[in-house]
């Protein structure tokens, strides 16, 4: 929904960095071009060339440790936290060991994967800067937006050629393309846009390490404990051999990590020596001292705890091609170190978080063009605050408040900030969270912890205390248990919209002519429904099976060793995550996007063709295939049939039925770790590319328009009863059945104005979560969005222009009047 | 019982406390020159013609039973009085460009209460409820009373926004079922009031006095109209009345021209000439005046 209210106001809260250093960090970030840094992959490749013949886990560890210990320790001006993923302010590591093919195709000027032409990347900011600099300085561009020097470009090309047949993606291809009997369904699925592009270039993430453990023990103790395990192991079978491999590998990566940290200590000392400014010199010496202690030992104070977390976080980040790798419940992890630090101050904590958030935003990722576009360059590093502790008591604390304040001050795009909602949370904390929403950054998103706890109790059967304590969000909206679950949770998305296309065209994709399902001509609503289910089930089952093949190749090429050390109980069990070492292996999801359009379309078919008998099913399908052209009258009738998001049981019941069918079907297949797949639905930016490849739908949607967003967000413009009706529809869904899922609401700033505006927003959340819903996120409308509303009024049919006691809809205003509303938004009137 | 409403807005947050449902009832005894909902003045449904949507396809002309539509330059000309005879029954169905619609619809009290009740959980968590606005809700006194009574049975917080120009008996009847009055005070000078609103002011002040004596919960709503209601004399008089009646909450509603187009769309005449809109500092100055005299003053 998009309610917005007059008189028009600009955003109520404007944050500013708490000090000039933070302010400089932000400006420096905004001024920096996007760079690709081949240093890590170069060293990794060097090592890989000579480690042939080693056991897989040990080889992976040896290569990673070799590269870690050779990475340049770069400390930028004014930095007080050490440790970077690349040498640049905004840098990305190109993981050719995961997927060399997308890079090679680009360098050989071959066509990218079928999906990339439907993706659009941003063009402004650092992307534009990179393009300009490339032209001016004779640099090369990779992936449309990353700069690289001409020399390194050639070097990187060689690296990619080395990995071409050895990388994870190619090894996976060899497996599933040769052995999976429905391989052609997957390849055709990509061609017609039934699936998102191959996920191999960035398969990992949705993962949170056990930072509590790192802080409590330190790397040195973990190494000692692992050495003890090796000493006390009496092999009694081949499984014990694999344990030994993993433990040895773990020690190797941990030692490599320590060298990485020591390089920073040395660099800080060296910089201090030549530093003229005594203040900066003291800072650098302090940094060097800290880098000699953490994360090898327990942190002595709050700053050391933050540094220890950050090093571990970055080291884990370097190991894999991560998307959705997250810090988790950082307020819980850091609080004891803050409160027990006699010298702690709130101002210093805020300043440290401001620096930390810039550092997190500085991490870029380069993958295939398709996935860059799908993620909008966003790494979805989810930091979640509040919630309850293991006893079920409220867990928000001073650090939660400091983190919110730092993000209000900085408004960086990372981390993706979230709040675990619980009824007991402190009112001050919730008001602070709504203050952050009002800055217009789009977060924190609110998640209902008890809904997830119920889901996990049902699917994993783990103890309640353990679930409460560790529940977090890994990635955009996927709940997981921090420090105890595997991070490769999905293969990508199934396009529900494409299934409508196939349903309407007797199983053939109307764009390419490729047949995907048996030809059927449904003659009743029941037959339409079962034809949809038949195609959906094939699409889901094949996708799941394909991914299980791919994951075998993952285990054999790029198993995560460093990250496994910090996921319980890999070390105890002597198994890496790829071998099922994590406590939670039920977190592997199957995702789909666009089910709201299916429900709306089925409602229209049922009502127009079988109940009101306005037209035959053939006539309706014909009109839809013609993109409704010359069938405006029928389209209006279709749009008048109840659509999802208006609390109308006619269509809501259809959605609930499809939802249940999907959930049942998804969990009927085992994942590559031998547990049932977990149903989930989210969106990131799939509604746009998925919509682009789809023809018109019976629900009145036109060819090429985006699909409905998220799980329960209505199709734009079809929710005509306001935000409370959207929530009432969404409340009918059993959110405990799925892992994740989202609802986005748009508000004009004046709807949230003042303390009463915040309280109303919190009341809305409470009402939804009592039911219980799972997630809600508020976007604060700005003048740019209103301009879009002018260009696409059809998506803003429910946009209400409200003054106290005034009644009008946006779409009923003439352009000059809309201009006036936009002008007033810009001028804070 | 049936009533005529203009619109129902959910998640209204400016017309009383908390999250509210705002029901606009049709019909008003006043016809204020600055009215931003002119289509709410007539008690019956009205044709609305949004000319910028009209593609001048002239389909509606063919279907018009009263010949009240004629071709114009890129649009059509309408004789609104004649149009409303058939309630635009034919041209609404004919128009595929959404240029013609009907303002107002009939609804039964039961259906309206059902819609209001849908948001009870939101009211409960936010301290919100339902607000009846308009138009003047008391123009449909029996309907209003029935809906209010049903709402109170469901323990919904109720607010009525009134211009005060209403039958005393009707006001008395709704009093037990109304938790809050949003009471408009516009112009205190009798001549000016008559001139700009079309009705004398005495009844407005008498009714306010009555409500105040009955200890009703009241928030004064004061439309700020440049050069008309915002004179020093008028503001002072409003303050004096509030002092007299021991009312301490006032909400300022600064003039905006967002309702201007709706006059043309309903074939109505907009008689207010060239009214400036306020800027931020002017509005704040008015608020400071009231706050300075001890009133709790908000800007709507």
């Amino acid at each position: 929904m998009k309610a917005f209210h007059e008189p028009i106001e600009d955003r109520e809260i404007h944050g500013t960095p708490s000090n000039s250093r933070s302010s400089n960090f932000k400006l420096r970030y905004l001024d920096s071009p996007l760079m690709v840094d081949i240093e890590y992959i170069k060293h990794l490749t060097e090592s890989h060339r000579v480690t042939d013949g080693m056991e897989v886990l040990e080889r992976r560890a040896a290569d990673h440790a070799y590269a870690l210990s050779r990475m340049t320790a770069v400390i930028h001006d004014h930095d007080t936290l050490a440790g970077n993923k690349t040498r640049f302010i905004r840098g990305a590591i190109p993981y050719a060991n995961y997927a060399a093919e997308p890079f090679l195709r680009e360098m050989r000027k071959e066509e990218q994967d079928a999906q990339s032409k439907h993706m659009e990347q941003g063009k402004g900011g650092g992307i534009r800067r990179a393009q300009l600099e490339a032209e001016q300085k004779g640099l090369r561009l990779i992936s449309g937006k990353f700069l690289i020097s001409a020399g390194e470009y050639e070097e990187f090309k060689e690296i990619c050629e080395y990995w071409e047949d050895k990388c994870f993606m190619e090894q996976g291809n060899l497996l599933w393309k040769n052995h999976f009997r429905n391989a052609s369904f997957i390849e055709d699925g990509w061609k017609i846009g039934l699936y998102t592009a191959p996920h191999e270039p960035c398969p990992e993430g949705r993962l949170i390490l056990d930072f509590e453990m790192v802080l409590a023990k330190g790397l040195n103790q973990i190494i000692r404990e692992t050495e003890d395990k090796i000493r006390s192991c009496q092999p009694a079978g081949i499984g014990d051999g694999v344990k030994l491999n993993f433990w040895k590998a773990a020690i190797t990566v941990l030692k490599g990590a320590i060298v990485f940290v020591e390089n920073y200590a040395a660099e800080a000392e060296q910089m201090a020596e030549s530093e003229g400014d005594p203040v900066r010199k003291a800072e650098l010496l302090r940094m060097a001292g800290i880098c000699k202690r953490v994360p090898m030992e327990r942190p002595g104070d709050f700053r050391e705890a933050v540094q220890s977390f950050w090093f571990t976080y970055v080291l884990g980040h370097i190991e894999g091609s991560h998307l959705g790798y997250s810090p988790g419940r950082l307020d819980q992890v850091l609080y004891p170190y803050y409160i027990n630090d006699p010298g702690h101050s709130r101002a210093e904590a805020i300043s440290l978080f401001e620096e930390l958030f810039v550092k997190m935003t500085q991490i870029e990722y380069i993958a295939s063009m398709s996935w860059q576009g799908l993620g909008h360059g966003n790494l979805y590093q989810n930091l979640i605050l509040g919630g309850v502790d293991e006893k079920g008591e409220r867990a928000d604390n001073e650090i939660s408040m400091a983190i919110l304040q730092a993000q209000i001050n900085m408004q960086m795009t990372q981390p993706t900030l979230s709040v675990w909602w619980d009824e007991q949370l402190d009112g001050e904390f919730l008001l602070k969270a709504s203050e952050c929403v009002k800055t217009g950054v789009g977060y924190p998103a609110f998640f209902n912890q008890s809904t997830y706890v119920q889901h996990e109790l049902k699917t994993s059967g783990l103890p309640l205390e353990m679930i409460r304590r560790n529940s977090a969000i890994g990635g955009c909206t996927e709940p997981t248990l921090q420090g105890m679950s595997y991070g490769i949770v999905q293969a990508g998305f199934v396009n529900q919209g494409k299934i409508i296309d196939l349903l309407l065209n007797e199983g053939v994709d109307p764009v390419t002519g490729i047949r995907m399902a048996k030809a059927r001509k449904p003659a009743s609503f029941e037959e339409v429904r079962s034809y949809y289910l038949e195609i959906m089930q094939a699409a889901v089952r094949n996708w799941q099976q394909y991914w299980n093949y791919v994951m075998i190749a993952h285990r054999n090429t790029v198993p995560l060793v460093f990250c496994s050390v910090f996921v319980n109980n890999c070390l105890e069990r002597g198994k890496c995550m790829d071998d099922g070492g994590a406590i939670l292996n039920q977190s592997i999801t199957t995702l789909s996007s666009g089910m709201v359009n299916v429900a709306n379309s089925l409602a229209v078919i049922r009502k127009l063709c079988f109940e009101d008998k306005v037209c035959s099913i053939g006539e309706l399908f014909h009109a839809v295939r013609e993109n409704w052209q010359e069938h405006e009258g029928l389209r209006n009738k279709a749009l008048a049939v109840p659509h999802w998001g208006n609390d109308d049981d006619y269509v809501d019941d259809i959605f609930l039925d499809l939802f249940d069918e999907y959930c049942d079907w998804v969990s009927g297949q085992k994942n590559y770790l031998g547990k049932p797949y977990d149903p989930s639905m989210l969106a990131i930016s799939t509604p746009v590319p998925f919509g682009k490849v789809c023809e018109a739908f019976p629900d009145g949607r036109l060819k090429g328009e985006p699909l409905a967003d998220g799980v329960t967000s209505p199709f734009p413009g079809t929710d005509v009863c306001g935000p409370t009706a959207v929530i009432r529809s969404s409340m009918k869904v059993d959110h405990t059945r799925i892992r994740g899922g989202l609802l986005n609401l748009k508000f004009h700033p004046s709807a949230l104005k003042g303390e009463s505006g915040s309280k109303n927003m919190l009341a809305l959340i409470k009402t939804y979560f009592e039911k219980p819903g799972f997630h809600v996120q508020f976007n604060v409308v700005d003048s740019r969005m209103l301009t879009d509303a002018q260009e696409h009024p059809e998506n803003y049919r429910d946009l209400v222009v409200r003054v106290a006691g005034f009644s009008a809809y946006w779409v009923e205003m003439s352009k000059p009047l809309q201009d006036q509303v936009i002008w007033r938004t810009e001028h804070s009137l | 019982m049936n009533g005529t409403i203009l619109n129902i807005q959910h998640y209204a947050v400016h017309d009383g406390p908390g999250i509210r449902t705002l029901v606009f009832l049709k019909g008003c005894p006043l016809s204020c020159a600055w009215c931003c909902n002119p289509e709410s003045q007539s008690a019956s449904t009205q044709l609305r013609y949004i000319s910028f949507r009209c593609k001048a396809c002239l389909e509606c002309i063919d279907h018009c039973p009263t010949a009240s539509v004629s071709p114009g330059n890129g649009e059509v000309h309408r004789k609104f009085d004649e149009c409303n005879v058939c309630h635009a029954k034919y041209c609404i169905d004919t128009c595929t460009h959404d240029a013609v619609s009907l303002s107002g619809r009939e609804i039964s009290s039961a259906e309206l209460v059902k819609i209001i009740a849908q948001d009870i959980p939101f009211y409960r968590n936010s301290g919100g409820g339902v607000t009846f606005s308009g138009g003047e809700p008391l123009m449909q006194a029996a309907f209003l009373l029935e809906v209010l009574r049903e709402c109170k049975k469901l323990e919904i917080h109720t607010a009525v926004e009134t211009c005060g120009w209403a039958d005393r008996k009707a006001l008395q009847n709704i009093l037990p079922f109304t938790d809050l009055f949003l009471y408009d005070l516009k112009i205190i000078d009798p001549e000016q009031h008559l001139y700009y609103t079309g009705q004398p002011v005495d009844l407005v002040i008498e009714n306010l006095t009555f409500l105040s004596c009955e200890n009703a919960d009241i928030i004064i709503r004061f439309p700020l109209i440049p050069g008309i209601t915002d004179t020093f004399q008028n503001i002072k008089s409003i303050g004096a009345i509030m002092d007299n009646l021991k009312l301490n909450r006032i909400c300022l509603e600064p003039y905006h021209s967002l309702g201007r187009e709706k006059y043309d769309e309903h074939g109505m005449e907009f008689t207010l000439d060239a009214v400036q809109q306020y800027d931020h500092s002017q509005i704040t100055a008015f608020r400071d005046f009231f706050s300075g005299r001890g009133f709790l003053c908000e800007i709507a």
Side-chain angles (χ1 to χ4, degrees), chain A residues 567-640:
Chain A
V567 169
N568 299 297
N569 285 332
C570 289
L571 273 184
E572 279 311 306
R573 295 174 178 168
K575 280 178 171 180
C576 68
M577 287 187 286
D578 279 277
D579 289 342
I583 291 174
L584 182 71
N585 290 312
Q586 283 91 335
S587 61
I588 324 295
T589 58
T590 301
L591 297 174
S592 78
S593 167
M595 188 173 276
V596 162
N597 289 102
V598 180
N600 287 343
S601 294
L602 292 194
V604 168
I605 294 169
R606 172 183 256 177
K607 182 110 181 101
L608 295 190
C609 306
F610 302 111
E611 284 179 10
D612 296 356
K613 298 198 167 43
V614 168
C615 60
S616 73
I617 192 163
E619 283 162 349
L620 177 67
F621 284 13
H622 172 73
V624 176
R625 281 196 293 264
E626 301 276 300
N627 196 23
W628 294 106
Q629 298 213 338
E630 310 289 325
H631 301 281
E632 271 304 318
L634 189 56
R635 180 167 179 250
N636 285 340
K637 290 196 177 95
L639 285 169

Side-chain angles (χ1 to χ4, degrees), chain A residues 758-773:
Chain A
S758 298
K759 286 188 170 157
N760 286 336
M761 182 177 93
L762 294 169
L764 186 87
I765 296 169
K766 183 168 192 261
T767 309
Y768 183 37
F769 284 1
E770 275 171 355
K771 189 53 190 162

Side-chain angles (χ1 to χ4, degrees), chain A residues 1-66:
Chain A
M1 85 96 231
K2 306 128 209 126
F4 93 89
H5 305 254
E6 265 281 79
I8 295 303
E9 233 123 337
D10 197 5
R11 286 163 182 148
E12 183 179 327
I13 307 290
H14 300 268
T16 43
S18 71
N19 56 62
S20 61
R21 188 196 299 265
S22 298
S23 164
N24 284 335
F25 286 144
K26 184 171 178 179
L27 285 174
R28 182 173 73 189
Y29 165 79
L30 292 172
D31 271 345
S32 299
L34 287 82
M35 303 292 295
V36 71
D37 191 349
I38 66 162
E39 195 182 40
Y40 169 80
I41 191 70
K42 189 175 92 177
H43 294 309
L44 185 93
T45 309
E46 253 166 40
S47 172
H48 196 267
R49 285 180 202 269
V50 298
T51 50
D52 196 13
M54 280 176 82
E55 187 279 334
V56 172
L57 295 176
E58 292 191 45
R59 183 183 195 186
R60 173 84 166 129
D63 296 343
H64 184 49
Y66 179 92

